[in-house]
């Protein structure tokens, strides 16, 4: 772990679990405390990573091999970490990211059925050992969450996977939470206000 002055908060959970809404609220909260905030999302967040994102999520890329997919997520992440996240943290900023390596462990590892140790290895290489200060895992039934999201758009290549894929991802999140002490599971099947109250308590306990 590099030694930085900043704070790195990650939001994880099924597609449609409400991460974006909470990312904004957490950002506003830190702004009121006088902190400088940077938001990012994965895959994406830099020019190169956004181009990789288009490749990965394009519904036309039906032939994409699962290993290619895993490597592309890791490549997009490597660029984001070196170009943005590490400099932000070194400058003492609060960095709020929707998704990080945990998504690859569960979507590519448990969802796609690739070896989770391999996914961990390529991502350790990609992220230069940075570890978030806090990972909020949004616990919500994957079917409910996905339906909420697909009401507003047609879905990308990952969202259009069948529900058993999304269930494996959900179960995967619950499993990996046992191995990563930075992960805090939060019940996301509640009102925005209730959810944010709990999140405030958690973030106040880490700094
Ligand atoms: P996005 O539209 O950003 O979804 P969300 O708003 O739910 O984060 O699309 C990202 C998709 O990519 C999402 O289905 C999860 C998936 N994903 C992976 O499979 N592996 C990864 O490492 C990451 C970061 C995302």
């Amino acid at each position: 772990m590099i030694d930085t002055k900043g704070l790195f908060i990650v939001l994880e959970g099924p597609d449609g679990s409400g991460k974006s809404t909470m990312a904004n609220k957490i950002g506003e909260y830190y702004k009121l405390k006088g902190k400088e905030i940077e938001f990012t999302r994965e895959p994406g967040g830099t020019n190169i990573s956004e181009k990789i994102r288009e490749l990965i999520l394009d519904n036309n890329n039906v032939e994409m091999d699962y290993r290619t997919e895993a490597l592309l997520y890791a490549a997009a992440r490597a660029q984001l970490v070196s170009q943005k996240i590490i400099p932000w943290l070194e400058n003492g900023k609060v960095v709020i990211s929707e998704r990080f390596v945990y998504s690859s462990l569960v979507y590519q590892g448990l969802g796609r059925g690739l070896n989770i140790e391999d996914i961990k290895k390529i991502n350790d290489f990609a992220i230069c050992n940075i570890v978030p200060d806090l990972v909020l895992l949004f616990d919500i039934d994957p079917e409910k969450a996905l339906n909420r999201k697909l009401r507003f758009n047609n879905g990308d290549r990952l969202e259009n996977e069948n529900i058993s894929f999304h269930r494996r991802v959900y179960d995967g999140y619950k499993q990996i939470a046992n191995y990563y002490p930075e992960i805090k599971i939060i019940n996301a099947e509640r009102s925005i206000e209730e959810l944010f109250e709990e999140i405030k308590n958690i973030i106040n306990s880490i700094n």
Side-chain angles (χ1 to χ4, degrees):
M1 173 69 191
I2 52 164
D3 191 20
T4 66
K5 295 180 276 148
L7 192 66
F8 184 21
I9 298 179
V10 171
L11 287 73
E12 286 279 359
D15 296 78
S17 53
K19 298 184 293 297
S20 307
T21 311
M22 282 304 139
N24 286 328
K25 287 185 83 69
I26 296 169
E28 280 165 22
Y29 185 66
Y30 275 108
K31 237 180 247 166
L32 284 176
K33 290 179 164 215
K35 303 274 186 196
E36 276 189 83
I37 319 298
E38 296 288 353
F39 291 103
T40 191
R41 64 155 187 196
E42 281 212 37
T46 69
N47 287 338
I48 293 172
S49 313
E50 289 290 331
K51 284 191 183 151
I52 299 175
R53 176 187 176 92
E54 276 173 36
L55 264 179
I56 303 175
L57 298 182
D58 186 344
N59 276 309
N60 292 320
N61 284 339
V62 284
E63 74 275 36
M64 189 179 291
D65 183 82
Y66 292 164
R67 285 184 175 74
T68 311
E69 181 183 286
L71 289 164
L72 285 173
Y73 276 114
R77 178 168 298 128
Q79 187 64 32
L80 177 67
V81 165
S82 65
Q83 192 183 331
K84 299 275 175 100
I85 295 181
I86 290 179
W88 282 334
L89 292 173
E90 284 174 347
N91 286 324
K93 296 190 174 174
V94 175
V95 179
I96 301 170
S97 180
E98 286 180 51
R99 303 190 177 280
F100 197 52
V101 289
Y102 313 92
S103 285
S104 281
L105 296 175
V106 297
Y107 281 78
Q108 281 61 58
L110 297 140
R112 295 305 197 197
L114 296 175
N115 182 311
I116 194 162
E117 282 303 319
D118 289 341
I119 303 294
K120 190 174 174 314
K121 268 189 229 152
I122 58 171
N123 278 285
D124 283 347
F125 175 64
I127 65 169
C128 310
N129 294 327
I130 62 167
V131 179
D133 296 284
L134 174 67
V135 179
L136 295 167
L137 173 52
F138 286 53
D139 185 359
I140 177 170
D141 178 77
E143 202 157 354
K144 264 191 212 160
L146 198 59
N147 286 339
R148 194 154 86 178
K149 189 150 189 195
L150 296 183
R151 250 187 283 144
F152 303 106
N153 65 48
N154 294 327
D156 58 42
R157 201 171 58 84
L158 274 283
E159 284 159 1
N160 287 326
E161 276 298 329
N162 57 36
I163 191 63
S164 65
F165 172 84
H166 290 283
R167 286 231 165 267
R168 282 199 302 282
V169 167
Y170 174 78
D171 293 339
Y173 270 129
K174 289 291 191 65
Q175 281 177 38
I176 66 163
N178 295 318
Y179 297 98
Y180 291 90
E182 65 273 25
I183 299 182
K184 301 275 176 284
I185 299 179
I186 47 172
N187 172 5
E189 294 198 25
R190 289 183 293 176
S191 70
I192 291 178
E193 291 71 27
E194 281 174 310
L195 187 52
F196 187 54
E197 270 312 303
E198 181 178 354
I199 290 177
K200 268 197 302 202
N201 289 336
I202 296 173
I203 58 187
N204 285 328
S205 71
I206 61 157
N207 54 22

